């Protein structure tokens, strides 16, 4: 079974995303906003895709406050995790934000909150999951 790591600081969003992905997508879900844990899970191959909130309020790495863009840059810069698909999730859905965030972060996709169409949300995630080991 494929695993999606949800990096989200809002417990309500985390719960909603988890429920949609497990019920509709048949996916396993892990959730954290702890940057060290995100890196550890990604580097150990425990996630097949990461859903990354752009605006993380409480995330720190090596003593510095970091957001989802920075964490995605770190993942994409690491040869061990560079090919792990990352989808940015954000409520900042102004014109131009999508392109800007994708270019800045190197992420593979972008979903704006709130998620209204649950099936489309699941489809976007399934489309980016690595195909090689689909069961």
């Amino acid at each position: 079974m494929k695993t999606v790591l949800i990096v989200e600081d809002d417990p309500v969003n985390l719960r909603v995303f988890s429920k949609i992905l497990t019920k509709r997508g048949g996916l396993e879900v892990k959730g954290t906003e702890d940057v060290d844990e995100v890196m550890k899970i990604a580097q150990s191959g425990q996630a097949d895709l990461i859903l990354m909130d752009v605006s993380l309020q409480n995330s720190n790495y090596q003593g510095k406050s970091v957001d989802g863009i920075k964490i995605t840059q770190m993942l994409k810069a690491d040869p061990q995790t560079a090919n792990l698909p990352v989808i940015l999730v954000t409520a900042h859905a102004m014109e131009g934000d999508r392109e800007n965030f994708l270019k800045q972060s190197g992420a593979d996709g972008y979903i704006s909150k709130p998620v209204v169409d649950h099936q489309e949300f699941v489809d976007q995630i399934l489309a980016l999951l690595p195909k090689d080991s689909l069961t």
Side-chain angles (χ1 to χ4, degrees), residues 19-82:
K19 194 166 273 188
I20 295 169
L21 293 174
T22 53
K23 295 251 186 299
R24 281 190 183 237
L27 298 164
E28 200 168 296
V29 174
K30 295 177 189 277
T32 186
E33 61 174 311
D34 179 301
V35 184
D36 288 313
E37 197 176 344
V38 170
M39 300 309 283
K40 196 172 80 191
I41 290 169
Q43 289 167 344
S44 66
Q46 294 176 52
D48 298 292
L49 182 141
I50 297 178
L51 265 186
M52 180 73 67
D53 185 13
V54 171
S55 308
L56 297 165
Q57 302 302 313
N58 313 313
S59 294
N60 293 292
Y61 188 69
Q62 297 175 342
K64 294 191 192 88
S65 181
V66 293
D67 62 6
I69 301 284
K70 180 65 184 154
I71 299 168
T72 303
Q73 289 169 341
M74 289 163 33
L75 289 163
K76 293 300 183 181
D78 181 341
Q80 223 177 332
T81 56

Side-chain angles (χ1 to χ4, degrees), residues 81-94:
T81 56
N83 294 326
L84 183 64
V86 178
I87 300 177
L88 299 176
V89 185
T90 182
H92 300 287
M94 303 298 289

